[in-house]
Amino acid sequence: MCGRFTLTIDPADLQDAFPGLTFPRAWSRAYNVAPSQPVAVVANNGKNQVEFFKWGLVPSWAQDPSIGNRMINARAESLAEKPSFRTAYKRRRCLILADGFFEWQPVPGRQEQNADVRRLKSGEPFAFAGLWEAWHPDQEDRLLSCTVITTTPNTLMERIHNRMPVILKPEAHPLWLDPAEQRRTSSTSYSSPIPLRR
């Protein structure tokens, strides 16, 4: 799973890494992004704009937004089948901007874990593949939320965890943000073995 991540890069460098996007004027670095917090998202709504959505997907049919606390991640292999994700997979995909994510490793002989941040070898920011939803879209309490898609780990991550977030190559961003309805296919085709480092 992906339960914490970072976005600590200078805003100007982030803009350079994602040309063509409009960024909000108010921006602060995030060293430990947690579920239920606002995250930087580019939705496939044609705006090419970075917005802030709550991390934890709240489907439009949900009775209570607290359901999002249990849906911070979505398994790539079952997006097209699970009721919580299949409509968003077809119509509401997004990029979730980051420059690192945490994984925890047990400390030998002690009942605790160390948190390691995984980043690209290049040190550049990247985008997780995500899904988004609008809860109560026509009411005053409208809530925009998102989830990070996870997949099977690469060789570096498999020693630590049996899942990892899907990181999209820049050339895959337009395909993932295409507003057209997604055909029934595995979203793992959008993932890439981008080199990571600790």
Side-chain angles (χ1 to χ4, degrees):
M1 67 176 294
C2 176
R4 292 281 197 285
F5 65 91
T6 67
L7 188 57
T8 60
I9 191 170
D10 183 271
D13 293 332
L14 187 62
Q15 176 76 77
D16 290 342
F18 293 93
L21 296 181
T22 301
F23 285 77
R25 291 183 180 180
W27 188 275
S28 59
R29 301 182 187 193
Y31 293 87
N32 186 11
V33 182
S36 80
Q37 292 182 345
V39 296
V41 167
V42 183
N44 67 333
N45 53 18
K47 296 180 180 179
N48 291 324
Q49 178 178 331
V50 177
E51 305 172 84
F52 289 97
F53 291 12
K54 180 180 178 180
W55 184 14
L57 195 79
V58 181
S60 59
W61 44 260
Q63 298 296 314
D64 186 334
S66 65
I67 191 175
N69 298 334
R70 303 192 304 274
M71 293 201 288
I72 63 169
N73 294 156
R75 295 177 66 93
E77 300 87 343
S78 57
L79 295 179
E81 288 80 31
K82 286 209 167 185
S84 298
F85 304 122
R86 63 189 177 199
T87 301
Y89 172 54
K90 286 181 182 178
R91 303 190 183 103
R92 289 181 287 278
R93 295 171 299 280
C94 66
L95 307 178
I96 299 173
L97 307 187
D99 60 10
F101 62 94
F102 289 96
E103 286 296 348
W104 284 262
Q105 298 186 65
V107 178
R110 301 170 67 178
Q111 292 186 334
E112 61 183 73
Q113 294 182 324
N114 281 339
D116 283 334
V117 180
R118 303 291 164 160
R119 304 185 188 277
L120 298 190
K121 282 188 175 180
S122 66
E124 296 176 341
F126 52 84
F128 298 132
L131 306 176
W132 68 279
E133 278 282 11
W135 186 70
H136 289 181
D138 301 320
Q139 300 180 25
E140 289 186 6
D141 59 349
R142 179 174 184 257
L143 173 65
L144 297 174
S145 63
C146 63
T147 187
V148 174
I149 298 173
T150 66
T151 187
T152 53
N154 61 18
T155 53
L156 174 63
M157 292 301 301
E158 66 185 0
R159 295 171 293 174
I160 302 168
H161 203 280
N162 62 359
R163 305 293 297 174
M164 69 173 287
V166 173
I167 299 173
L168 296 176
K169 287 185 176 180
E171 55 266 32
H173 294 176
L175 179 61
W176 190 249
L177 292 178
D178 188 340
E181 185 165 308
Q182 176 66 46
R183 292 179 296 172
R184 184 184 177 89
T185 183
S186 172
S187 66
T188 55
S189 61
Y190 299 104
S191 65
S192 60
I194 296 178
L196 297 170
R197 65 175 172 82
R198 293 177 66 176

